């Protein structure tokens, strides 16, 4: 059975006339409460116009600063991901970027049946034992307060990139980037974890560029080549297709 949203008839007709599209598309826009002046942008989103400054996410600059030190030192980075598509896409995205910089990347995706969801101290210690100078959790970590406290006690630096609901007390980290944490005012709580990870990569790339990392023969990566992963994780995690998410999905298909 179809469950149709009610739509303002006048707004629907106005959308159709202004955009030169079928009235049914105008009704869809009206049913989604898209303002008349934003109809064109809704149908044709742009990364350049819709992408906010990554530093608008709380704790982004601190998280980037910690990973910059590891990149400049040429040391390995550990990535602790998740076993769903969003987590796997986030892991692949960050791993692809760091590998492209010439770094050794150590990844761990937990076994759903034996390890469960989120970081565990045994896996974090194993990544550190393999040489990880810093560990980045993607699509998990926000709720792992006790595990991350234990890791901090071991002297492990962990950066969390996540999008899940946050506890009252944030986890002890070297950087916690999550648009749903209380301190965040970015308005980006509709992002999937892979979207948060892409924002982090953009901010990290910018910081490295500003510090002259890409001088000489070292090539700066084209981040647009990674949008296929961002689109995949965004769609599969069934987050709202609004704002920057629409640009991610559209441009990730190109």
């Amino acid at each position: 059975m179809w469950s149709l949203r009610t739509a303002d008839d006048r707004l629907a007709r106005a959308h159709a006339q202004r955009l030169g599209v079928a009235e049914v598309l105008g009704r869809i826009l009206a049913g989604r409460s898209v303002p008349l002046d934003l109809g064109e942008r809704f149908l044709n989103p742009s990364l350049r116009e819709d992408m906010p400054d990554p530093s608008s996410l709380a704790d982004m600059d601190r998280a980037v600063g910690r990973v910059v030190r590891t990149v400049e030192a040429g040391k390995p980075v550990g990535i602790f991901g998740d076993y769903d598509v969003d987590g796997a896409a986030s892991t692949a995205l960050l791993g692809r970027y760091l590998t492209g910089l010439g770094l050794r990347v150590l990844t761990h995706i937990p076994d759903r049946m034996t390890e469960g969801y989120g970081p565990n101290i045994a896996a974090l210690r194993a990544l550190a034992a393999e040489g990880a100078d810093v560990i980045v959790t993607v699509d998990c970590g926000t709720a792992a307060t006790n595990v991350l406290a234990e890791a901090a006690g071991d002297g492990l630096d962990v950066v969390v990139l996540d999008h899940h609901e946050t506890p009252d007390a944030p986890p002890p980290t070297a950087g916690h980037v999550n648009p749903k944490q209380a301190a965040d005012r970015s308005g980006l709580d509709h992002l999937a974890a892979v979207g948060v990870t892409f924002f982090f990569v953009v901010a990290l790339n910018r910081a490295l560029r500003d510090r002259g990392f890409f001088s000489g023969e070292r090539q700066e990566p084209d981040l647009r080549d990674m949008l296929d992963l961002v689109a995949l994780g965004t769609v599969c995690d069934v987050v709202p297709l609004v704002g920057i998410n629409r640009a991610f999905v559209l441009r990730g298909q190109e």
Side-chain angles (χ1 to χ4, degrees), residues 11 15 28-40 42-43:
L11 179 58
H15 271 305
I28 291 173
L29 293 173
R32 296 189 181 189
S33 302
V34 177
L36 185 59
D37 60 336
L38 294 181
E40 174 64 30
F42 186 86
L43 294 179

Side-chain angles (χ1 to χ4, degrees), residues 71-102:
V71 173
E72 291 183 328
K75 295 181 178 179
V77 176
I79 304 176
F80 188 103
D82 187 31
Y83 39 70
D84 70 357
V85 176
D86 188 23
S90 301
T91 302
L93 170 63
L94 184 57
R96 181 189 294 181
Y97 176 76
L98 294 173
T99 301
L101 299 183

Side-chain angles (χ1 to χ4, degrees), residues 33-110:
S33 302
V34 177
L36 185 59
D37 60 336
L38 294 181
E40 174 64 30
R41 189 167 175 179
F42 186 86
L43 294 179
N44 297 290
S46 165
L47 275 177
R48 184 180 298 276
E49 295 180 5
D50 295 338
M51 181 91 175
D53 184 347
S55 293
S56 65
L57 285 153
D59 221 20
M60 176 65 83
D61 293 340
R62 185 168 74 99
V64 165
R66 178 58 191 87
V67 177
V68 161
R69 297 202 301 273
T70 295
V71 173
E72 291 183 328
K75 295 181 178 179
V77 176
I79 304 176
F80 188 103
D82 187 31
Y83 39 70
D84 70 357
V85 176
D86 188 23
S90 301
T91 302
L93 170 63
L94 184 57
R96 181 189 294 181
Y97 176 76
L98 294 173
T99 301
L101 299 183
L103 269 67
R104 180 177 172 226
V105 176
L106 311 166
T107 61
H108 182 85
I109 302 291

Side-chain angles (χ1 to χ4, degrees), residues 144-175:
T145 304
N146 293 337
V147 171
L148 295 183
E150 194 170 355
D154 287 352
L156 305 182
D157 283 346
V158 180
V159 169
V160 171
L161 307 179
D162 202 358
H163 72 135
H164 293 99
E165 298 297 334
T166 63
D168 293 335
T173 66

Side-chain angles (χ1 to χ4, degrees), residues 168-179:
D168 293 335
T173 66
H176 176 212
V177 184
N178 183 337

